[in-house]
Each structure stands twice: as structure tokens, then as C-alpha cells.
DNA sequence: AAATAAGTGTGATCTAGATCAATTATTTTT
DNA sequence: AAAAATAATTGATCTAGATCACACTTATTT
């Protein structure tokens, strides 16, 4: 049947895989078809199953990953064995250990798929080539980094000044979509509080209103 | 006397003011003389006296500032009236409220000179022109932002996982120079602890060793 | 050289959130 | 559909660091 053939085609077509990346890039810079076609060659698609690691502590973070589908997280385990989540990365976001990527030092982060996911990977030499051959990408990444820095500074200031409840409320407002997709104890870990405290806060809030 | 004339000359000469900026830019990108001369025109030098504000909460952060001499801080005051320092900026560093600078929204930060200082200011339209006329600067700022993001992510993860003492020790190792120049209670505020706690930690450390 | 302001040190007390310990859902696997 | 693994809730207790309240030092101003 046509339907089957079509879905097989879709499964193997890389055309569809680059849709979101294309859209996202276009929001910041304007590329010619030729430039975008070159850009495609710089990336390798990869599928990840739920719980699969893209990067494990101790390895070098050889890739920056653009998330086409699914949801990943990057996190670190401290000396006491506690997990701290740096980032959730749903569709349209980038994840990587930038430090490890740029320095080739072993990473102290883990990056893991929280859902079955599809990512586009770019390694250091492809990335260097991309910037060299399409200098507009300097601007694209500059803008991404700018936004990311502003958001991270905000989160830092919040972590220094807000109560656990304030952090939670701000989080639910800022990332309402992630709420459904991420288990509670990971939200707690992202916020820098314990699962128990988050559970109590949610109870209080539901009673209050 | 020659000496007097010379020092008057130096005081008004802008040549010397751009030395550090030039050096810093050269560490990341290579500019022709022509390009750097254009770059100069984009900046306005300004002297700040100790305690003078470069930006006050509520105003729009119209400039990014490169510090040629002296030391500034950017900080925010929370709902309870407590100060939280985002950044110390000694010679060779940039300070700004990036969010306010890029969006034209009123800033929630204060930026203040902690010593008599000299800064080079660049406003939004000069900055846009600079990037347009010397696209290499996209790369320069991309690299700056990259490094800044990595450092801020580190600080965030630290603020979630380290004890007050660990934060202090890490700080003294990472910025030994700032220790002499910044009053203790501001270091506490940067670390997200109270002056009292920092004072006790320092006492303990001095007794221990 | 007073006078004023800014910064530091120390004790006594308090508290938000952590830790410990079970219990009860909810998913996932077989 | 049962067993196993993962998550979430709830109570009891503990603690790092905050808060409050002064005394003491060191810089700035006048």
C-alpha cells in the first residue's frame, strides 16, 4: 500500500529531519539554499532511545546536538552523589558540554535522552568548517549564546535570591511544557531542592488555592 | 616642564586608552590597522569615580562597557532588599546588562565603579555598525559569550552543590587578584552567603591551618 | 584631629529546607 | 496479571547558614 511505502520513505528520509533546524536557523539568519545544503552535510542524524546516553562523564563531548524530536537532559553528579540538572533540551534546542567540546577535556556532565529522541550531531571539525565556509553562522551561534547566557544569569540570580516555592512557580511559568514531560524529582534537581521539599510545596500550593 | 606637558598629553590622549582593548581583541581575532581604527570610532571613553554608577536599576542599559582601568561590579537588589552580585569586572573585562542592552527594556541591575575607573562605552547602534562593517567581530563576541556562558554554568552548578566554605575556597583560587581589591561583604554577596557566615568561615580556615 | 561612614567580628537564636525512614502510587518488564 | 523497578507522598528530626544585636576597626570627610 501507498501508505506503507510512504511511511518507510519518511523514516529514512533525512529531508524531514532537518526541518526544525532549518526553521530555527531562519529565525536568526538568512541562508541561501546552497548554504543550507552545505550545512546539512555537517550534521549526522542519530536516534536515541529513552535512557540512552549521548555523553557520559569522563568521555570527551565530541558533539553539539540539535534536538529534532524528543527530550534530553544534561546533568552532573556532585561529590556527595547528588544529581544536578543543568538543562532540559526539548525539540529545537541545543545540548552539549561546551567546555569539553571546545577544549577536548573529559566532560563532567552526562547527557541522556528522557524520551525516544532524534538529534543532529555536529563534531568539532565540521563545526569549524561550517563557520569557515558560512561565516553567517558566527552570528547565529553568537545570538544563541547571548540568549543562553542571559537565561543562565537569570537562573543564577534566582538561585541566590528566591525561596524554593518562588523557584518552582517561576519554573512552571517559564517552562509550562516541560512540566508534563519531566518527572517531578528531576524538576526538583533542576531547581536545586530535594524531591521531598518539592512534593511538600506542591501540596501546599494545591491546598492554598 | 616636559614632564607636565607629557602627563597632560597622556591624560587626554585616547591612544593609550585603547591599548588593552586592542590587546584583548588580538587574542581572539586578527584585525588590520584600518579595521581597528574604525573600531576605535565606535567607542566613547569615560572616566568613573569610585562609587559612581554606570547604570542604575530602572534605566535602560544603553552601553556595553570594556574596562580599561579600575574595577566595576554589576548587581541586583532582590525583593527583600538584599544585594546579589552578578559580576566583578576588572581591567580587560566587559560589563553590561545584556538583556536590557539588546531589548531596550529597563534594567534590573546596577553597575557601579568600585575604584576610580576608565571604561570604553559602545552603544547599540555603534555596536550594530561595528558588526556590520567588521564581521570578524561576530566571532570575537561569540567567543567571549562562549567563555562567559561556560563560566556562568559552572558557577550555577557550584551554587547548587557546594557548601559555603567550598564556594569561598573555589573563589579565592579562581580570582585571587580580586580578593585584595574587593571588600569582604561583597565577596559574600557574590557567593550567595551572608557577611557573617563568610567572616566565620575565614576564622575557621585561619585556625585550621 | 574630630566626626562620620563603611567594613569586620562574634555571640545568641531561629528557620527553611535537608536528611532519614517508611508507605503508597505508578510505570515498566516479564 | 504478577513482579520488579521507579516515583511520589508524608512524618519526624536535624543542621547549615540566616537573622538579630552589638562591639570593634579602618577609611573618608570636613
Amino acid at each position: 500500500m501507498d501508505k506503507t511505502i510512504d511511511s518507510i520513505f519518511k523514516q529514512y528520509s533525512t529531508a524531514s529531519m532537518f526541518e526544525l533546524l532549518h526553521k530555527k536557523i531562519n529565525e536568526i539568519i538568512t541562508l541561501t539554499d546552497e548554504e543550507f545544503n552545505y550545512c546539512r552535510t555537517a550534521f549526522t542524524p542519530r536516534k536515541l532511545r529513552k535512557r540512552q546516553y549521548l555523553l557520559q562523564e569522563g568521555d570527551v563531548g565530541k558533539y553539539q546536538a540539535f534536538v529534532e524530536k524528543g527530550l534530553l537532559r544534561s546533568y552532573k553528579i556532585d561529590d556527595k552523589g547528588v544529581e544536578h540538572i543543568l538543562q532540559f533540551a526539548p525539540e529545537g534546542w541545543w545540548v552539549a558540554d561546551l567546555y569539553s567540546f571546545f577544549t577536548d577535556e573529559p566532560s563532567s556532565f552526562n547527557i541522556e535522552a528522557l524520551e525516544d529522541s532524534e538529534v543532529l550531531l555536529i563534531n568539532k571539525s565540521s563545526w569549524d568548517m561550517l563557520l569557515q565556509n558560512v561565516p553567517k553562522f558566527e552570528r547565529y551561534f553568537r545570538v544563541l549564546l547571548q540568549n543562553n547566557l542571559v537565561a543562565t544569569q537569570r537562573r543564577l540570580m534566582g538561585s541566590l535570591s528566591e525561596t524554593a516555592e518562588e523557584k518552582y512557580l517561576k519554573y512552571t511559568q517559564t517552562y509550562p511544557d516541560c512540566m508534563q514531560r519531566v518527572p517531578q524529582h528531576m524538576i526538583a534537581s533542576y531547581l536545586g531542592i530535594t524531591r521531598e521539599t518539592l512534593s511538600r510545596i506542591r501540596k501546599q500550593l494545591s491546598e492554598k488555592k
Side-chain angles (χ1 to χ4, degrees), chain A:
Chain A
M1 275 132 223
D2 273 16
K3 210 187 160 190
T4 315
I5 290 164
D6 193 56
S7 61
I8 287 170
F9 176 74
K10 273 216 173 119
Q11 193 181 346
Y12 290 100
S13 157
T14 54
S16 70
M17 286 214 67
F18 286 87
E19 256 172 52
L20 187 54
L21 179 62
H22 199 177
K23 190 187 143 210
K24 283 288 181 173
I25 290 172
N26 267 323
E27 289 173 6
I28 294 174
I29 55 175
T30 311
L31 291 183
T32 63
D33 286 356
E34 195 192 8
E35 284 167 336
F36 187 70
N37 281 330
Y38 174 76
C39 168
R40 291 173 123 90
T41 67
F43 289 88
T44 312
R46 179 176 302 176
K47 299 197 176 195
L48 295 168
R49 289 221 305 272
K50 189 171 174 172
R51 280 197 200 139
Q52 192 179 339
Y53 285 105
L54 181 62
L55 171 65
Q56 281 193 81
E57 191 183 339
D59 293 346
V60 174
K62 293 204 177 306
Y63 308 105
Q64 291 202 245
F66 177 83
V67 183
E68 279 279 333
K69 279 209 186 94
L71 175 62
L72 320 220
R73 77 207 257 237
S74 66
Y75 67 98
K76 181 172 270 201
I77 297 172
D78 71 21
D79 326 318
K80 297 123 206 161
V82 182
E83 281 182 17
H84 299 279
I85 295 179
L86 176 63
Q87 191 200 352
F88 293 115
E91 304 84 7
W93 291 59
W94 288 85
V95 231
D97 176 349
L98 291 181
Y99 180 74
S100 179
F101 182 80
F102 288 116
T103 61
D104 258 301
E105 300 280 328
S107 178
S108 54
F109 284 96
N110 298 282
I111 301 178
E112 183 200 18
L114 297 181
E115 301 172 359
D116 292 346
S117 302
E118 293 176 24
V119 295
L120 299 173
L121 302 180
I122 186 165
N123 64 29
K124 188 74 191 325
S125 62
S126 297
W127 195 75
D128 286 340
M129 287 294 285
L130 180 63
L131 289 177
Q132 205 183 315
N133 294 328
V134 191
K136 282 177 199 169
F137 270 99
E138 290 282 3
R139 184 180 182 85
Y140 172 70
F141 287 113
R142 195 260 296 159
V143 172
L144 280 192
L145 287 163
Q146 227 167 60
N147 294 339
N148 196 165
L149 178 60
V150 167
T152 306
Q153 287 178 345
R154 267 218 189 106
R155 191 170 155 210
L156 175 64
M157 295 315 268
S159 96
L160 298 180
S161 63
E162 293 162 3
T163 64
E165 182 174 319
E166 286 166 343
K167 284 175 201 171
Y168 175 67
L169 289 172
K170 188 164 151 196
Y171 178 81
T172 58
Q173 284 157 23
T174 315
Y175 307 105
D177 45 323
C178 265
M179 295 304 299
Q180 269 64 39
R181 297 168 73 179
V182 171
Q184 240 182 75
H185 73 272
M186 289 192 190
I187 296 175
S189 155
Y190 179 90
L191 297 176
I193 61 181
T194 58
R195 343 171 191 56
E196 291 96 329
T197 296
L198 181 54
S199 176
R200 283 184 253 263
I201 285 170
R202 284 167 51 92
K203 196 190 178 189
Q204 279 174 31
L205 287 171
S206 69
E207 283 166 357
K208 209 179 280 179
K209 202 26 189 340

